[in-house]
Amino acid sequence: MSFPDTRWSVLLTLQDLDETASREVLGELCAAYWYPVYAFVRRSDRSSHEAEDLTQGFFAHLLERRAMEGASPEKGRFRSFLLGALKNFLSTEARRDAAWKRGGRVLHVPLDVDEGEARFEKELADHLSPDRLYDRAWADALLRRAMAALAGDYHRANRSAQFAALQECLSGKIESASYERIGQALGMSVSAVTNAVYRLRLRYRDLVRQEIARTVSSDAEVDEELRAVFAALSR
């Protein structure tokens, strides 16, 4: 999983790249954001096949200059821009009966539809609207990216085993007995585990904020977007 420095910047420069570079960047964007888009389309009464086609078609649409006209970080958060662009795209596609037939596109990006469908099946019980499901899927994707970056930090430091043992402590809902159990497994004292958990939580919080910062127009919006992310997860 890749983490482009500034997602808004990556998106806004798509139209200026050559075809090969555009496809590479689009693949990164799709890997990061395809499930919130897919979930919105599925909840909008589309089949899994239709959702797959439309999700791929939507990301291909972002390569077109007209899809990016007027888009800038100053005009809103990337989360909101992407949803607005998706709604416009679906409205247009509703008037094009055969616009994105399977296999007929110039651009094809891989989607793990089986995984997407498994996740979507879990969402069905909550009866969320397409907009709320999109926001929750976005929040979940953002936290997953932060968690992947955190795991990468520990892997590079040759501490993957420590990360695996401490990961359960990120929720904050853990009893002191668990610290003893973790300490025994890692050969650490309870105080050492406590300090390690503190550092883990600080780093995870920093990574979450970094991910959010890549999707908003200014540092001043990070806290507000952070509240929106956790509000979406609590619904």
Side-chain angles (χ1 to χ4, degrees), residues 112-181:
D112 190 346
V113 178
D114 290 339
E115 178 197 359
E117 277 299 296
R119 292 171 64 181
F120 183 74
E121 287 295 325
K122 294 179 181 179
E123 306 281 5
L124 288 177
D126 293 328
H127 304 289
L128 295 175
S129 68
D131 288 71
R132 286 194 173 185
L133 179 57
Y134 172 87
D135 284 341
R136 190 165 75 177
W138 179 280
D140 181 67
L142 188 147
L143 296 184
R144 283 173 182 244
R145 292 198 298 274
M147 186 68 73
L150 184 62
D153 283 353
Y154 277 77
H155 176 73
R156 287 186 292 273
N158 294 317
R159 291 188 294 162
S160 294
Q162 184 181 114
F163 174 75
L166 297 177
Q167 188 175 0
E168 66 179 281
C169 302
L170 283 174
S171 66
K173 300 177 181 179
I174 186 169
E175 300 177 354
S176 58
S178 296
Y179 281 69
E180 295 179 5
R181 170 177 52 79

Side-chain angles (χ1 to χ4, degrees), residues 30 34-35 38 52 109-119:
C30 184
W34 76 267
Y35 181 71
Y38 179 86
E52 179 183 3
V109 287
L111 305 179
D112 190 346
V113 178
D114 290 339
E115 178 197 359
E117 277 299 296
R119 292 171 64 181

Side-chain angles (χ1 to χ4, degrees), residues 24-68:
E24 181 178 348
V25 173
L26 181 62
E28 292 180 348
L29 287 170
C30 184
Y33 298 112
W34 76 267
Y35 181 71
V37 170
Y38 179 86
F40 182 93
V41 177
R42 280 288 279 124
R43 185 52 63 92
S44 301
D45 296 324
R46 306 276 187 161
S47 69
S48 60
H49 292 316
E50 289 175 316
E52 179 183 3
D53 283 344
L54 288 168
T55 298
Q56 293 200 35
F58 172 65
F59 281 101
H61 178 65
L62 291 182
L63 280 174
E64 301 176 9
R65 180 175 294 274
R66 65 176 179 273
M68 298 307 302

Side-chain angles (χ1 to χ4, degrees), residues 177-212:
S178 296
Y179 281 69
E180 295 179 5
R181 170 177 52 79
I182 292 172
Q184 291 174 357
L186 295 175
M188 300 168 61
S189 66
V190 172
S191 61
V193 172
T194 301
N195 290 333
V197 169
Y198 176 74
R199 292 191 297 270
L200 178 80
R201 289 173 177 168
L202 280 182
R203 180 55 178 159
Y204 180 60
R205 184 181 66 184
D206 287 343
L207 289 168
V208 169
R209 293 181 66 86
Q210 287 178 29
E211 288 300 322
I212 289 176

